[in-house]
Amino acid sequence: MSEALVDRRAAPALITLCSGPELSVRIATIPAFGTIMETVTQKELLERVKMQLASFLEDPQYQDQHSLHIEIIRTFGRVGPNAEPRFRDDFVLPHLHKLALANNSQSVESKRIDIAIHLFEAYSALSCCFISEEVMVNHFLPGLRCLHADMEQLSPEHEVILGSMIKECEIKVENRGITDAQGSISIASSLVGEDAKTKFLSKMGQLTTSGAMLANVFQRKK
């Protein structure tokens, strides 16, 4: 289906279905919205889809809708690795972090483990993506730590894997920090070197000029 057809027909129809009375129908639109986010590049269309997904996540009427949250997490895990990076960094990962944090307070154990398992699958899929240091520190790692806290109590085998994932992410952040610091030192050294070189050449120029003037003076005296 072309982007133009998605824009004219598919997206408006999905948005209309989201306003219907049946929750199950609204939930069923989520994977389709995810596919649009994964395959379409038109900015205005992507923004409309993002707004609809945001309403599912932020509207109080959906706060306790377990099935809806499961579908959103599953969709994020499926489309996140292929979605536009800014959408992933600005929307998918911050909302996964919020869902992981909220799940720490879930009092129904069956729901808590269900969400945790789906979060684990989503984070595993997204861990292969390039994630900026800022997003890693502010959302990806904190979300993993929230999930780790759940798995510590609910699923020890997942907890071990998450511990390794967290350690690996922390090492990546540390290494980026070291690389950035080395880069700054290298740039600073280069600038200092260039400054010293400029001063040296300037001094040499002055000495050469002075030498030439002295030579002229001696020639005149002769």
Side-chain angles (χ1 to χ4, degrees):
M1 189 181 289
S2 68
E3 287 196 18
L5 195 56
V6 172
D7 187 30
R8 288 199 313 270
R9 300 285 180 84
L14 288 168
I15 290 168
T16 300
L17 288 170
C18 288
S19 61
E22 288 293 329
L23 179 62
S24 60
V25 173
R26 281 178 262 169
I27 292 171
T29 65
I30 293 169
F33 281 124
T35 299
I36 293 174
M37 297 301 303
E38 189 180 19
T39 56
V40 167
T41 57
Q42 190 181 319
K43 189 176 178 181
E44 294 79 6
L45 176 56
L46 290 173
E47 197 60 34
R48 279 156 54 202
V49 172
K50 190 169 86 170
M51 285 174 62
Q52 184 57 57
L53 290 173
S55 75
F56 284 139
L57 288 157
E58 295 164 9
D59 192 322
Q61 69 173 310
Y62 300 119
Q63 188 173 353
D64 298 317
Q65 295 298 334
H66 179 75
S67 298
L68 182 140
H69 292 155
I70 290 290
E71 196 57 64
I72 283 180
I73 294 166
R74 188 185 290 135
T75 297
F76 281 175
R78 176 174 61 85
V79 308
N82 303 315
E84 199 268 327
R86 194 173 67 172
F87 168 70
R88 182 171 58 241
D89 289 351
D90 295 349
F91 188 77
V92 171
L93 291 172
H95 279 101
L96 281 179
H97 176 199
K98 287 179 184 177
L99 288 163
L101 181 61
N103 202 48
N104 288 163
S105 307
Q106 174 59 257
S107 57
V108 181
E109 187 170 307
S110 60
K111 289 183 178 181
R112 189 179 178 194
I113 187 65
D114 198 16
I115 291 283
I117 292 294
H118 282 88
L119 282 170
F120 175 82
E121 291 171 357
Y123 273 110
S124 297
L126 289 160
S127 65
C128 66
C129 304
F130 174 80
I131 299 168
S132 69
E133 185 177 347
E134 182 184 357
V135 177
M136 179 71 79
V137 170
N138 292 333
H139 297 297
F140 194 83
L141 265 172
L144 276 182
R145 291 185 182 117
C146 290
L147 183 56
H148 184 267
D150 280 338
M151 292 304 194
E152 216 169 12
Q153 300 174 34
L154 301 168
S155 180
E157 62 271 23
H158 287 91
E159 184 262 333
V160 172
I161 299 168
L162 283 165
S164 298
M165 288 173 68
I166 289 167
K167 189 68 180 172
E168 188 179 331
C169 290
E170 288 172 342
I171 289 169
K172 282 182 184 176
V173 171
E174 287 172 13
N175 288 344
R176 283 184 200 171
I178 291 168
T179 303
D180 290 346
Q182 287 174 341
S184 299
I185 291 167
S186 176
I187 291 166
S189 300
S190 175
L191 289 171
V192 169
E194 286 297 320
D195 188 47
K197 182 179 176 183
T198 303
K199 286 180 179 177
F200 174 75
L201 291 173
S202 175
K203 188 67 71 178
M204 286 296 292
Q206 289 171 9
L207 289 172
T208 303
T209 304
S210 299
M213 290 171 68
L214 284 170
N216 287 337
V217 169
F218 283 129
Q219 282 176 2
R220 286 192 201 116
K221 283 185 178 181
K222 288 178 183 177

